[in-house]
Amino acid sequence: IQWFPGHMTKARRQIEDKLKLIDVVIELLDARIPLSSRNPMVDEILKGKPRMVLLNKHDLADPVVTAEWVRYFADQGLQALPIDAASGTQVKEILPRAKALWAHKIESQLRKGINPRAIRALIVGIPNVGKSTLINQLAGKKIAATGDKPGVTKGQQWIKVGTEMDLLDTPGILWPKFEDQMVGLRLAATGAIKEEILHLDEVAFFSIKYMVQHYGTALQERFGIAEMPDDLDDPNQIVSVMEAIGRKRGAIVSGGKVDLDKASLIIIRDLRAGKLGRISLEKPTDY
Ligand code: GDP
């Protein structure tokens, strides 16, 4: 999606319509780049709704860095849970957390002698962060009938997550922040920007530079790189690492030279698929 101001206004209005129906928001971020995959206006848009953060694709992220992010969000009063929506890891933890966020309401209903209804939840996040995957994972085969609840827009469906939670079947789609070139590079490196808006070689260069800095030993061992850069600000040294990886991965043109475009493509595909190891591209200490 190419986001323009009109799209953002429409997306925001759609979420605000859904917010009227729901009790708890599930904010989905990419564990490898939690802040870069976060909508810049999310606090304003969600307006104090009880909310939890899920750090998705944790299977691809560096667990040590993810733990740092969990502490980072805790400091802001937000519970963050690392999950892997594709395999379902930790997805069972979502319901108890939603119940904890809504406990005060449930208790007050019980005090009034009312039978508490199921918690109504909405998943929000930027494109490609895993919203549909998570909805399907939570749904199993339990997609509820349409519009049998007051205030439900026609066509809006609720998915039953056990008996205690109802989930809106369409997520809230938010836009990422683009103002910062580094954010764009991180989004492209992780595959959040599907269309290659940025040049592949730039994305590969950024990724390799970050990996040399934070995962240097692993990179060196994996690709048998003889000499690692001693100066991160020397682009030639980073390109040398890209060439070494390209050579190892067969990105060679006639004459034995490395095809840097092909090497870049291979690096990005390997990175996105987790073939370079569990790598996070952003740390709380980067800010
Ligand atoms: P949406 O645009 O937010 O609905 O994203 P999708 O649910 O379509 O997911 C985008 C891509 O990410 C798909 O290829 C999913 O298979 C993949 N994906 C989603 N969750 C995970 C996860 O936890 N781990 C990994 N490795 N891939 C995931």
Side-chain angles (χ1 to χ4, degrees):
I1 307 173
Q2 276 269 43
W3 292 93
F4 293 104
H7 298 139
M8 296 179 188
T9 309
K10 191 171 170 214
R12 181 172 181 167
R13 204 175 305 128
Q14 282 174 346
I15 290 189
E16 284 169 349
D17 280 348
K18 291 178 200 234
L19 284 180
K20 292 174 198 151
L21 308 173
I22 64 111
D23 305 322
V24 169
V25 178
I26 298 169
E27 187 190 1
L28 204 53
L29 304 178
D30 188 316
R32 297 165 295 175
I33 52 165
L35 287 194
S36 293
S37 61
R38 192 168 214 210
N39 175 273
M41 295 168 73
V42 71
D43 291 331
E44 200 185 312
I45 293 170
L46 300 180
K47 291 190 196 78
K49 278 271 175 191
R51 147 169 64 138
M52 75 181 88
V53 166
L54 301 181
L55 301 171
N56 192 35
K57 309 195 186 185
H58 185 233
D59 54 308
L60 299 173
D62 179 340
V64 175
V65 178
T66 301
E68 290 172 21
W69 281 113
V70 170
R71 282 195 295 277
Y72 169 93
F73 285 107
D75 287 345
Q76 302 194 349
L78 277 169
Q79 277 214 40
L81 175 71
I83 66 158
D84 168 0
S87 76
T89 307
Q90 286 292 82
V91 165
K92 281 196 310 292
E93 281 302 307
I94 296 172
L95 177 60
R97 294 207 176 200
K99 282 169 73 175
L101 284 171
W102 203 236
H104 60 288
K105 242 343 205 278
I106 293 173
E107 279 156 22
S108 90
Q109 284 175 331
L110 286 172
R111 267 200 306 276
K112 290 177 198 153
I114 304 169
N115 222 355
R117 60 167 170 74
I119 303 166
R120 295 176 187 166
L122 169 71
I123 292 172
V124 304
I126 66 168
N128 223 30
V129 73
K131 297 181 297 299
S132 312
T133 307
L134 179 60
I135 289 172
N136 289 333
Q137 189 67 248
L138 285 167
K141 289 188 185 68
K142 293 165 295 208
I143 297 177
T146 314
D148 56 359
K149 288 191 171 70
V152 175
T153 325
K154 222 174 147 218
Q156 194 85 258
Q157 297 207 5
W158 294 92
I159 291 161
K160 285 214 159 301
V161 183
T163 54
E164 290 170 300
M165 185 159 97
D166 290 346
L167 180 69
L168 266 190
D169 75 330
T170 51
I173 300 169
L174 288 163
W175 59 94
K177 47 184 163 195
F178 293 112
E179 67 270 23
D180 179 341
Q181 201 217 354
M182 290 297 283
V183 171
L185 287 167
R186 292 189 195 103
L187 289 167
T190 52
I193 303 178
K194 262 184 191 159
E195 305 87 340
E196 307 302 349
I197 293 168
L198 295 148
H199 293 292
L200 272 185
D201 53 348
E202 274 179 64
V203 179
F205 181 93
F206 155 80
S207 307
I208 291 300
K209 185 174 170 183
Y210 195 90
M211 280 187 264
V212 167
Q213 192 176 2
H214 297 281
Y215 302 96
T217 315
L219 205 61
Q220 184 167 24
E221 281 170 6
R222 192 178 290 254
F223 294 100
I225 301 166
E227 218 177 312
M228 289 295 276
D230 53 22
D231 179 6
L232 281 171
D233 293 322
D234 177 1
N236 291 324
Q237 294 194 23
I238 306 296
V239 171
S240 296
V241 175
M242 291 168 69
E243 285 173 344
I245 296 172
R247 200 169 292 120
K248 262 273 172 355
R249 297 282 278 108
I252 308 232
V253 284
S254 56
K257 266 193 66 155
V258 174
D259 180 340
L260 210 55
D261 285 340
K262 204 169 162 193
S264 296
L265 188 62
I266 290 169
I267 288 167
I268 289 167
R269 283 197 183 146
D270 282 2
L271 173 67
R272 287 178 178 175
K275 287 185 189 162
L276 302 180
R278 293 182 71 172
I279 287 170
S280 295
L281 292 169
E282 186 172 61
K283 291 182 174 205
T285 48
D286 292 341
Y287 294 89

